[in-house]
Amino acid sequence: MIAPGPILLLGAPGVGKGTQAKELVRLWGIPQISTGDILRANVAQGTALGKTAKGIMHRGELVPDSLVNEMVAVRLQEPDTARGYILDGFPRTLAQAHWLDGRLAATACCEPAQSLPLVAVSIQVDYNQLLRRISGRRNCPVCQTIYNIYSKPPQRAGFCDVEGAALTQRADDTEKAFAERMRAYAAQTTPVIEHYRELGRFTEVSGDGPIAVVAAGIVKAVERLRE
Ligand code: AMP
């Protein structure tokens, strides 16, 4: 594939969108744009956006569309998006999807890869497995390595294998916040999936399996959608 173009990774919280996006970054050399990561960076830096988003994110609710759209608009102006990019966690509402469609139509003139239609891949994993993935997830605050106390525990409980730093848990990875994130997903993101399904550039892949196998499934799906 010469240029992968714009790719959306969709799926419930914990299906592995972030992990898979990183695999695709490695394979294709295009950037991952994770609205969750950009928001967390704003919270950590204490920006005005971060201050607004912090409480909303801790409760597992969605940050207002206008703020997130603006964030994505700024990121899409970076030159590293010319051959394509992987959107991870965006769009999450129908309003965000319509905004993105409009923006892509308006900017389709410039780079050939940017004229490629957006393709959407939804990763599927069942609810109980998601709960284990989310409530077991721990992060190294130094090198960002992600562990799971059930499926990928560190050698010494609670500490990073690489950095030795005490592992942390995302505030929205508790069972209570997970339940709210799933509710927000069902109510607001299911219509986004239906939107891209109707446009016909949409496919579903299983997220159940080793990372490389899931990634290979996504690559195949994107290639098919680009034919
Ligand atoms: P994530 O890391 O993608 O699970 O996102 C973590 C949290 O950031 C979500 O639970 C939301 O509070 C917020 N967030 C991330 N992406 C979006 C988005 N596209 N729209 C609204 N809120 C978002």
Side-chain angles (χ1 to χ4, degrees), residues 52-146:
T52 308
K54 189 173 179 180
I56 300 173
M57 292 173 74
H58 280 197
R59 289 191 298 278
E61 295 166 8
L62 293 185
V63 174
D65 292 333
S66 57
L67 297 179
V68 182
N69 292 351
E70 177 54 28
M71 234 171 59
V72 173
V74 170
R75 181 62 185 87
L76 290 182
Q77 280 164 10
E78 297 290 324
D80 64 344
T81 59
R83 291 179 58 249
Y85 45 86
I86 300 150
L87 280 171
D88 155 17
F90 181 91
R92 262 201 177 62
T93 66
L94 209 45
Q96 291 176 10
H98 288 145
W99 173 87
L100 180 65
D101 292 349
R103 199 201 132 88
L104 291 180
T107 54
C109 58
C110 317
E111 292 280 343
Q114 286 177 352
S115 315
L116 287 171
L118 186 150
V119 295
V121 179
S122 174
I123 307 175
Q124 307 287 311
V125 174
D126 80 46
Y127 185 93
N128 286 333
Q129 207 189 329
L130 288 182
L131 180 59
R132 250 169 82 92
R133 284 191 188 187
I134 290 266
S135 61
R137 180 157 64 183
R138 300 291 183 275
N139 310 287
C140 172
V142 181
C143 67
Q144 317 308 327
T145 300
I146 299 172

Side-chain angles (χ1 to χ4, degrees), residues 4-10 17-35 38 72 75-76 80-81 83-90 119 121 123 218 222:
I7 294 160
L8 299 189
L9 282 187
L10 299 167
K17 295 187 294 293
T19 304
Q20 287 304 324
K22 287 182 179 63
E23 286 290 293
L24 301 174
V25 165
R26 225 170 32 79
L27 288 170
W28 286 328
I30 57 174
Q32 167 195 16
I33 302 179
S34 157
T35 44
I38 301 174
V72 173
R75 181 62 185 87
L76 290 182
D80 64 344
T81 59
R83 291 179 58 249
Y85 45 86
I86 300 150
L87 280 171
D88 155 17
F90 181 91
V119 295
V121 179
I123 307 175
I218 296 174
V222 170

